[in-house]
Amino acid sequence: MSSAEKPGTPSGQPGALSAEQPGRIMAAEMAEQPAVLRRILDEAAPRIFETAQSIAAKSPRFVLLTARGTSDHAALYAKYLLEIQMGLPCGLTSMSTTTAYGARPVLRDVLVITVSQSGGSPDLVASTRAAREAGAITLAVTNNPDSPLAAVSEHHIDVLAGPEKALPATKTYTASLLALYLLVQGLQSADGTAAARTIPDLAAGILARREEVRHLASRYRFAERMVITSRGYGYPTAKEAALKLMETSYVPALSYSGADLLHGPLAMVDNISPVIAVVTSGCGGEALQPVLDRLRGRGADLFVVGPKSQVEAASSGFVLPTDGVPEELQPILEILPLQLLAYEITLARGQDPDAPRALAKVTETR
């Protein structure tokens, strides 16, 4: 049996993980991501396009995005896609205005997209139901077509990630990104599969570099805090990476837009606390360049995830194979080494990334 065939082993990595080994479930689910991405392109894409066309026919004038946790970062990615590619104004909802305060905004001609791995959180279901009653076009993007959220929504997209058992979400995040990308392409009457066809193989290549990430992770085993920054399409990646680090290794990780980092938080950056910069190839990376220059000027311990030229100019980093990959698809690749980094730091600190303390798979907020 090859290493790629052994259950619980990230593609390209030697040795199977035993049933008792910490992190075996998260490792297996990270390794599934290339297959999940292929499944979306092969099986889900036609249905996503049909859903997008049905929504486009209603000509929404505004988009509201509803989510929590990891799904909130996927929703933020969709916000960038919709605003940049379609010129549709978008907002991230505050569910408590509906669930706690009883507000009933007028939502005629508004598209409300709710992103949720499980589709089971009561506040997501309640706010989506209220949005539909208020005249919104409602779309649920979930990994569970039989969920309460899917039931109350007018439209539904299944991200086809398969059961996710580890508490830290990995494959459902990248699956949601790709599904949302295809949705936005479909809203423009475009078939987005052609541009995304290289993504599964590129993802597999990144996940095969686990030893490289393990070596990098050893530097950060005793970090007391970390800062993650990016701009543009990379900003949701920064926020998701911070969440993964906090929920698995318990390292306080602060995520900032590069622009916001310069407005005060830069003062806390020193040569001790690591700074991770997610640098996309494109407009977002260009906008981040002055921030990188300021960080280097402060002697920051800078770790770059991005193109080779940017990694070579930093203290350390992970080179992404983004040549020829559209900027809007790069976040699917950017998060993979950072998932691995959170995983490896957690193991190095003697903790189990499969079972973060005080967390449940379905968070039932109201």
Side-chain angles (χ1 to χ4, degrees):
M1 179 183 289
S2 71
S3 61
E5 295 170 326
K6 294 176 182 176
T9 306
S11 176
Q13 297 307 313
L17 296 176
S18 71
E20 295 78 25
Q21 185 166 339
R24 65 182 180 83
I25 301 174
M26 184 178 176
E29 290 174 352
M30 286 190 293
E32 289 177 38
Q33 289 176 103
V36 170
L37 297 171
R38 290 189 191 96
R39 185 157 61 241
I40 293 170
L41 293 171
D42 294 339
E43 299 177 21
R47 293 194 294 273
I48 294 173
F49 183 82
E50 290 176 7
T51 299
Q53 287 289 279
S54 178
I55 293 170
K58 300 172 184 177
S59 301
R61 60 183 172 82
F62 191 87
V63 181
L64 287 174
L65 295 145
T66 305
R68 297 282 192 197
T70 285
S71 295
D72 199 31
H73 307 148
L76 180 59
Y77 167 73
K79 184 177 189 293
Y80 276 91
L81 283 172
L82 288 159
E83 291 186 341
I84 293 170
Q85 296 197 356
M86 297 189 66
L88 274 174
C90 300
L92 300 176
T93 61
S94 299
M95 281 171 279
S96 63
T97 61
T98 298
T99 60
Y101 290 92
R104 291 295 181 266
V106 178
L107 297 177
R108 288 187 299 274
D109 302 324
V110 174
L111 171 60
V112 173
I113 302 175
T114 306
V115 186
S116 171
Q117 172 195 322
S118 68
S121 185
D123 59 350
L124 293 170
V125 176
S127 63
T128 301
R129 181 188 294 112
R132 189 171 182 180
E133 291 171 352
I137 308 158
T138 53
L139 168 66
V141 179
T142 80
N143 193 39
N144 183 2
D146 299 319
S147 63
L149 178 61
V152 301
S153 299
E154 181 181 358
H155 302 282
H156 177 256
I157 289 174
D158 183 357
V159 302
L160 298 181
E164 190 171 57
K165 297 179 181 179
L167 285 175
T170 54
K171 63 179 181 174
T172 52
Y173 179 67
T174 50
S176 295
L177 296 189
L178 182 55
L180 289 163
Y181 167 80
L182 294 173
L183 170 71
V184 175
Q185 300 312 300
L187 290 172
Q188 303 171 83
S189 298
D191 179 357
T193 57
R197 281 293 173 190
T198 61
I199 297 298
D201 287 342
L202 292 173
I206 291 170
L207 291 168
R209 294 160 62 187
R210 182 175 159 191
E211 288 297 330
E212 181 182 341
V213 176
R214 180 179 293 136
H215 174 72
L216 293 168
S218 65
R219 295 182 55 189
Y220 305 129
R221 177 180 179 183
F222 299 109
E224 294 185 359
R225 71 162 184 251
M226 301 181 81
V227 173
I228 302 95
T229 188
S230 189
R231 291 203 69 179
Y233 285 112
Y235 182 42
T237 306
K239 293 179 72 67
E240 173 61 9
L243 176 60
K244 284 293 156 284
L245 284 162
M246 289 188 287
E247 70 182 350
T248 57
S249 67
Y250 318 141
V251 175
L254 308 173
S255 60
Y256 295 99
S257 157
D260 289 333
L261 185 64
L262 297 182
H263 284 264
L266 184 67
M268 71 177 174
V269 173
D270 53 30
N271 62 355
I272 298 174
S273 299
V275 178
I276 298 174
V278 180
V279 185
T280 59
S281 295
C283 296
E286 293 170 8
L288 189 64
Q289 192 59 53
V291 182
L292 298 175
D293 293 341
R294 291 285 297 276
L295 289 169
R296 294 185 186 106
R298 290 188 60 81
D301 179 359
L302 184 60
F303 177 99
V304 167
V305 175
K308 183 177 180 181
S309 60
Q310 294 289 350
V311 172
E312 289 176 342
S315 307
S316 63
F318 188 99
V319 177
L320 285 176
T322 53
D323 288 348
V325 178
E327 183 178 0
E328 59 269 22
L329 281 168
Q330 291 176 33
I332 300 172
L333 304 177
E334 290 166 351
I335 192 58
L336 300 177
L338 296 169
Q339 290 175 349
L340 289 171
L341 184 67
Y343 175 87
E344 294 294 345
I345 290 175
T346 303
L347 291 181
R349 290 164 71 97
Q351 293 146 197
D352 185 357
D354 284 343
R357 63 194 180 203
L359 296 182
K361 191 60 178 171
V362 179
T363 304
E364 297 194 354
T365 48
R366 295 183 183 275

